[in-house]
């Protein structure tokens, strides 16, 4: 007598016609199929961020929950590891010997802001104060400072202050000399905006603070100018 569970073409025909019952699935086969289904679900959503998972949560079926929760925990662990790895939170003094490790080998997805300064220059002191504040505000960015000639031998004082911005070891922006910074009137918000334009920080400022000051200055100048009517009356006299 032929085994109804045997994998033969004839048995497949009989099953399709309903003459033979569906083939029995062993417990091992069921567990393997379930594992493959969960793996397939994970692969479907493995391109999603944690935010994407939350946004699409209503579209997941009950059978998806275990696999997606497993993937969510994996992504969360990766995110936490990144946060711990990339939190700096303060400006650090480096020497020329530290430069390669701290700047060129800063790591993947790391922005570095390096201030070359010299003690006794008021604008350098002001910028160091501002960068200390920004280092605490943007802990994902590495803020460094170095005495100019310690980092670059014979670096000219006329180029100070100097700020170099790097991403993954490559220079992305440079700010050289006192005129670039606008002198001692430089505000921390203005420096933040400059760094945000280079990509080094993600600011919550909606527009350039320098523009607001310039707009107020121009408005003040316009209001102090004599009107055309006054000019005409003076000509008549």
């Amino acid at each position: 007598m032929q085994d109804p569970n045997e994998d033969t073409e004839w048995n497949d025909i009989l099953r399709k016609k309903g003459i033979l019952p569906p083939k029995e699935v062993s417990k091992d086969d069921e567990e393997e199929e379930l594992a493959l289904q969960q793996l397939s679900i994970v692969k479907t959503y493995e391109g999603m961020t944690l935010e994407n998972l939350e946004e699409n949560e209503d579209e997941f079926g009950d059978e998806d929950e275990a696999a997606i929760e497993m993937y969510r925990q994996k992504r969360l662990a990766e995110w936490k590891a990144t946060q711990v790895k990339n939190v700096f939170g303060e400006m650090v003094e480096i020497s020329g010997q530290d430069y390669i490790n701290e700047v060129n080998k800063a790591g993947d997805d790391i922005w570095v802001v390096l201030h070359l300064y010299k003690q006794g220059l008021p604008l350098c002191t002001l910028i160091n104060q501002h960068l200390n504040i920004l280092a605490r505000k943007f802990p994902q960015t590495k803020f460094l400072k170095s005495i100019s000639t310690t980092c670059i031998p014979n670096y000219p004082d006329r180029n100070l202050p100097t700020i170099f911005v790097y991403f993954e070891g490559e220079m992305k922006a440079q700010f050289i000399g006192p005129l670039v910074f606008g002198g001692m009137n430089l505000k921390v918000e203005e420096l933040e905006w400059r760094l945000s334009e280079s990509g080094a920080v993600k600011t919550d400022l909606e527009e350039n603070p320098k523009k607001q000051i310039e707009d107020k200055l121009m408005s003040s100048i316009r209001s102090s100018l004599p009107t055309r009517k006054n000019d005409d009356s003076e000509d008549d006299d």
Side-chain angles (χ1 to χ4, degrees), residues 88-91 130-141 143 188-190 192-193 196 200-206:
F88 303 104
E90 62 180 356
M91 187 160 65
H130 290 344
L131 291 178
N132 271 316
I133 294 171
L134 296 177
R136 291 192 292 271
K137 184 175 182 179
F138 301 103
Q140 305 304 316
T141 299
F143 286 84
V188 65
E189 293 82 7
E190 295 170 28
E192 176 181 334
W193 183 264
S196 74
V201 300
K202 294 182 179 180
T203 183
D204 53 5
L205 298 173
E206 295 182 356

